[in-house]
Each structure stands twice: as C-alpha cells, then as structure tokens.
C-alpha cells in the first residue's frame, strides 16, 4: 500500500522563543538516510541539538530537535527532506534496498558571468548569499580582479529547482543580483555549458607537496598548530557486550556545525547501518552520541582491525572535518580550505558561503578564487584556494584570518 507524502516528514514549530523545532521522519529505511537528512538540515543553516532514530532494517523513525532561524523556509525544507526519503520516489512497491552510495542526479550546469565596475569588501559573500537564497549551487568559481579594480566573476552553478534553462528563472536570478549589488553591476549573463567546459574550469590541478602532506594527513597529531587536539578532546569507543546483534559506538566530543552530518557521512562511506541512535548537546558545548550499528551484512563488527579503523576515521573526521591553512603563493597570501567529498559525490554544504562571510567580517578583501576537486591520500577533496588582497590582508594577521575562518566553518564564532 502506498505512503502519503504528508505523513513522511512532519515539522512542528517551536512553541515559544528559544525552544527547538522538531522534525519527524517516518519512512522506509536505506543505508545513509541519516547522512542525507542531516546534510539538508546543515544546508539550511540549522543546528541539530538532539536526535533519536531507530529502524528494523526496513522502516525507520527519526526525530530531530533543531535550532532554527527566523527566516528559515520550513516548507522548502520539508520538500527537500521528502526528496531523499525512499517513499518519495515510490508510493507503491517500495524498494527497501536502494544503492547506498547511489550517485545524485546530474543537474545541468550553467555559467553565470558578470562584470562589476569596482570591488568592495564583502562583494563575493553578497553574491554567494543571493545564489544560496535562490537554491543555486556553486560548483566552480573563477573570480579575478583587474589592475584597474574591476571584477570579473565566473560561477558554474546548478539549479536545485531545475528551472534555470527558462527565461523567467534567469531573469529572476539577474534581478536579485542587481538588487544586491546595485549600480556596480555592469553586466550579467547566464548560459548553459557542457560538462567538458566545466571540467576545464577547475583551474590548476597542482598542489604543492608540502601543503598536501601536512594539510591532508589522515593521522591525528597533537603538534597541529593551535593545539586543537588538546582543546577538543574526542573519545570514540566500541562495545560489543551490550547487544547480542549490534555494535555500540559511543562518542564524546565538542560540538561543531555539522557534527551529526560528519558522523553520519563517515558511517555511510563505510556502508554502516545505524539501527538505533541517540545524541544530544549540553550547555557546555559538548556532544554525546550512542549509536548501535551493523555492517552491510547485518552483523556486528567483531574484527579488531575494522573496529580500530572505524574509530580512527571517526576521530579524524570529528577533529578536522575541514582543513584550513594560510600559505604563501609566491609573494602573495593564499587561504586554503578543503573538505572531503562523500563517496556519493556530494560536497559539504555552505563552505564557500561561510568562508566569504568570515572574510567579510574580518574586513579582508578577496583578489581571486579557484574551486576544484583533487584526489589526495586516496580520497577526493573539494579545495578552495582564495588569494587575498595584499593591500588589505596585511592589516589582519594571518593567524587571525585562519582562526576566524575556522571558527566560522565550525560554528564557534
């Protein structure tokens, strides 16, 4: 019998100011569903403060308590959550076993090209905010400033609503950009491009070995600048005695933006099924997770090597979900930010949005930007290379820029 869509996702608004909004999901299960749901919630800028979910392997029930924003578009959030629930794809003859790392639908890529008569602090963030509000996803960026101060921006974007091929949607996008940028916007064009052009737009594929060895290391190191490991202790333990059929993973760590997503995407990449889980954050900024899990074959994890590998990866992903570093690029200063890509091909939401917001808050101007994907240490990474305007960035110490960007990305600002 079919499932009514309105029964799948229910959003209960906060009863009073300061209370969380409650999101309930009741649908057929699939490995990685928790990751997909948490990714969307992160994309909408919401913070999960508590959660409970359970499944019998075929059907799951998830309840998430989230701290919302006054401008959260709850109806749109509900629609996006429905899209990743198996019941949304089929209301009769439900397929319980959809591929775990099924590639997301390939959306058409468009080139957004415009000129601005002058640069100003926060310009790139204002553009990014407009695209975010319109549900236009930035895939690649090429931003450059001419010697006379003019700005040429090339954004390779996709449209979540799949309407950017229409004149109406293009006109809406250009109008919103004109409203945000005002008189400095000289021209703006949108055109469809092929995959081969998008691939050629990624910029240089070369990253210095000194950067890749330190920045992309998969080993925990207490010598890392800033002493983050000491200030952010993480405990990940395995217990096979409490359940005859499940392995219990217990995690104690400091909370950060997207923590539940980082946990779930790691389990999804390992093809691990969470049968029951609960987590919550406390007033001191700590987070506790209890996850009863099984492998793809439905059995608990007995092998010690597999246990150690999973715990080690979880510790790393929760300690350094994003990599941030300030490096020298010849005589110039470059901000480097990287995040791992899911095996399904999805990148982390809001990274570029948060980078540009942090730099805007730091009163630091951007000279050029390159975004590309690189295979490093047998993993695919999304790498953001931001060349800073030396005329401005010299007034802000490098360490302050690096800390400011990291805190924004981690939600510690």
């Amino acid at each position: 019998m079919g499932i009514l869509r309105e029964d799948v996702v229910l959003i209960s608004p906060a009863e009073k100011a300061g209370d969380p909004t409650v999101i309930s999901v009741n649908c057929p299960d699939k490995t990685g569903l928790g990751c997909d749901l948490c990714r969307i919630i992160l994309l909408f800028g919401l913070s999960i403060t508590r959660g409970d979910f359970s499944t019998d392997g075929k059907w799951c029930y998830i309840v998430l308590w989230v701290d919302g924003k006054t401008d959260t578009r709850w109806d749109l959030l509900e629609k996006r959550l429905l899209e990743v629930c198996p019941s949304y794809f089929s209301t009769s003859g439900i397929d319980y076993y959809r591929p775990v790392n099924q590639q997301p639908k390939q959306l058409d890529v468009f080139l957004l090209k415009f000129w601005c008569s002058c640069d100003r602090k926060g310009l790139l963030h204002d553009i990014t905010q407009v695209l975010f509000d319109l549900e236009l996803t930035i895939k690649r960026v090429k931003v450059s400033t001419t010697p006379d101060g003019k700005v040429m921006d090339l954004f390779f974007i996709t449209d979540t609503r799949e309407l950017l091929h229409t004149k109406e949607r293009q006109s809406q996008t250009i109008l919103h950009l004109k409203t945000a940028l005002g008189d400095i916007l000289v021209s703006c064009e949108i055109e469809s491009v092929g995959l081969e052009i998008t691939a050629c737009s990624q910029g240089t594929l070369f990253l210095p070995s000194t950067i890749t060895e330190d920045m992309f290391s998969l080993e925990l190191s207490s010598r890392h600048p800033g002493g983050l490991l000491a200030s952010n202790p993480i405990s990940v333990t395995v217990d096979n005695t409490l359940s005859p059929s499940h392995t219990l993973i217990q995690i104690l760590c400091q909370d950060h933006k997207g923590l539940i997503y980082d946990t779930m995407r790691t389990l999804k990449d390992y093809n691990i099924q969470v049968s029951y889980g609960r987590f919550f954050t406390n007033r001191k900024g700590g987070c506790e997770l209890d996850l009863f899990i099984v492998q793809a074959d439905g059995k608990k994890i007995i092998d010690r090597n597999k246990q150690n590998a999973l715990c080690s990866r979880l510790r790393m992903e929760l300690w350094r979900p994003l990599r941030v570093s300030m490096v020298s690029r010849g005589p110039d200063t470059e901000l480097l930010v990287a995040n791992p890509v899911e095996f399904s091909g999805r990148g982390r939401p809001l990274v570029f949005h948060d980078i540009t917001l942090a730099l805007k808050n730091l009163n630091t101007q951007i000279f050029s930007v390159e975004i590309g994907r690189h295979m490093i240490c047998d993993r695919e990474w999304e790498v953001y290379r931001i060349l800073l305007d030396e005329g401005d960035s010299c007034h802000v110490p490098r360490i302050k820029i690096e800390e400011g960007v990291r805190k924004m990305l981690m939600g510690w600002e």
Side-chain angles (χ1 to χ4, degrees):
M1 183 175 178
I3 307 166
L4 297 177
R5 283 181 54 189
E6 57 266 28
D7 293 336
V8 177
V9 177
L10 296 175
I11 298 179
S12 303
E15 295 183 358
K16 61 180 185 293
D19 285 354
T21 296
V22 182
I23 301 174
S24 302
V25 180
N26 184 22
C27 67
D29 195 18
K30 66 171 183 179
T31 302
L33 177 60
C35 169
D36 297 343
L37 295 172
C38 291
R39 184 184 188 279
I40 293 172
I41 291 172
L42 175 60
L43 176 61
F44 275 72
L46 305 176
S47 175
I48 302 174
T49 59
R50 178 184 164 195
D52 286 286
F53 46 100
S54 60
T55 178
D56 60 3
K58 292 185 177 181
W59 200 273
C60 72
Y61 183 64
I62 300 173
V63 183
L64 301 172
W65 287 259
V66 303
D67 285 339
K69 302 183 295 182
T70 55
D71 59 348
T72 299
R73 295 170 288 178
W74 296 107
D75 55 339
L76 185 59
L77 173 61
E78 180 182 355
K79 181 179 180 181
R80 296 294 171 245
L81 292 173
L82 277 169
E83 289 174 349
V84 299
C85 294
S87 55
Y88 178 78
F89 296 92
S90 174
T91 56
S92 63
I94 299 168
D95 179 10
Y96 295 119
Y97 304 103
R98 300 179 64 218
V100 54
N101 281 318
Q102 183 180 34
Q103 294 293 318
K105 179 181 178 181
Q106 292 296 319
L107 300 177
D108 293 334
V109 180
F110 294 82
L111 172 60
L112 171 63
K113 175 173 56 177
F114 54 89
W115 280 88
C116 291
S117 58
C118 63
D119 197 5
R120 62 170 171 79
K121 294 180 178 68
L123 174 63
L124 196 52
H125 176 70
D126 294 343
I127 297 170
T128 304
Q129 185 66 52
V130 170
L131 299 181
F132 169 72
D133 291 339
L134 291 171
E135 290 197 288
L136 297 172
T137 303
I138 300 170
K139 308 300 290 185
R140 302 282 181 264
V141 177
K142 181 64 176 179
V143 177
S144 57
T145 306
T146 62
D148 59 356
K150 294 180 180 179
V151 178
M152 182 187 71
D153 291 345
L154 302 176
F155 284 79
F156 291 85
I157 58 178
T158 59
D159 185 6
T160 302
R161 303 176 192 175
E162 300 185 58
L163 294 173
L164 200 54
H165 62 282
T166 65
K167 290 293 183 182
E168 180 181 358
R169 179 72 160 150
Q170 291 184 12
S171 298
Q172 177 196 39
T173 301
I174 294 173
L175 178 60
H176 278 73
L177 286 168
K178 286 182 177 179
T179 301
L181 302 182
D183 295 336
I184 68 171
L185 181 61
V186 176
S187 65
C188 183
E189 301 174 4
I190 300 175
E191 61 184 67
S192 178
V193 296
L195 293 176
E196 65 280 357
I197 296 178
T198 309
C200 293
S201 71
Q202 295 187 27
T204 177
L205 296 177
F206 174 75
L207 289 175
S209 59
T210 54
I211 295 176
T212 57
E213 290 174 3
D214 175 64
M215 186 171 181
F216 298 95
S217 172
L218 297 179
E219 299 296 328
L220 290 169
S221 172
S222 58
R223 298 191 302 272
H224 189 268
L228 286 179
L229 189 58
S231 62
N232 182 19
I234 297 171
S235 170
V236 182
T237 58
V238 175
D239 192 329
N240 272 320
T241 64
L242 292 180
S243 171
S245 55
H246 295 84
T247 295
L248 171 62
I249 296 288
Q250 292 183 303
I251 301 174
L252 300 174
C253 63
Q254 182 180 357
D255 192 20
H256 68 251
K257 183 189 296 184
L259 183 144
I260 307 303
Y261 164 71
D262 289 324
T263 303
M264 294 302 171
R265 70 171 169 80
T266 303
L267 296 177
K268 180 181 179 181
D269 286 349
Y270 270 78
N271 205 9
I272 296 292
Q273 173 79 45
V274 179
S275 299
Y276 173 76
R278 57 178 291 275
F279 48 85
F280 64 91
T281 57
N282 57 45
R283 295 182 179 180
K284 296 182 179 181
C287 188
E288 299 183 21
L289 297 90
D290 293 327
L291 305 172
F292 288 85
I293 62 174
V294 293
Q295 302 177 101
D297 59 7
K299 298 179 181 178
K300 58 169 43 177
I301 305 175
I302 302 297
D303 187 280
R304 287 282 186 180
N305 291 330
K306 289 183 179 180
Q307 292 178 10
N308 293 336
L310 178 59
C311 289
S312 177
R313 178 55 59 87
L314 282 169
R315 276 190 288 267
M316 172 56 70
E317 298 296 345
L318 297 179
W319 176 51
R320 297 176 71 188
L322 302 111
R323 313 298 170 93
V324 182
S325 181
M326 295 288 290
V327 299
S328 295
R329 188 172 174 179
D332 301 316
T333 300
E334 183 178 65
L335 170 66
L336 221 62
V337 178
N339 60 268
V341 177
E342 293 179 29
F343 286 172
S344 65
R346 294 184 178 92
R348 188 185 188 87
L350 294 182
V351 174
F352 192 57
H353 174 277
D354 288 349
I355 293 171
T356 55
L357 178 57
L359 293 176
K360 180 179 180 179
N361 293 343
L362 288 165
N363 204 31
T364 299
Q365 205 154 325
I366 297 171
F367 183 78
S368 66
V369 176
E370 291 182 5
I371 302 177
R373 292 192 174 188
H374 304 257
M375 288 299 299
I376 304 170
C377 299
D378 297 323
R379 299 188 70 186
E380 186 176 21
W381 297 80
E382 206 158 41
V383 181
Y384 301 77
R385 305 185 69 174
I386 296 98
L387 194 63
L388 303 179
D389 190 325
E390 286 293 282
D392 290 306
S393 61
C394 61
H395 300 298
V396 183
R398 282 189 173 193
I399 187 65
K400 186 175 181 180
I401 295 176
E402 183 175 330
E403 289 178 354
V405 171
R406 179 179 288 110
K407 287 180 178 179
M408 180 65 71
L409 290 166
M410 299 291 281
W412 294 340
E413 74 286 351

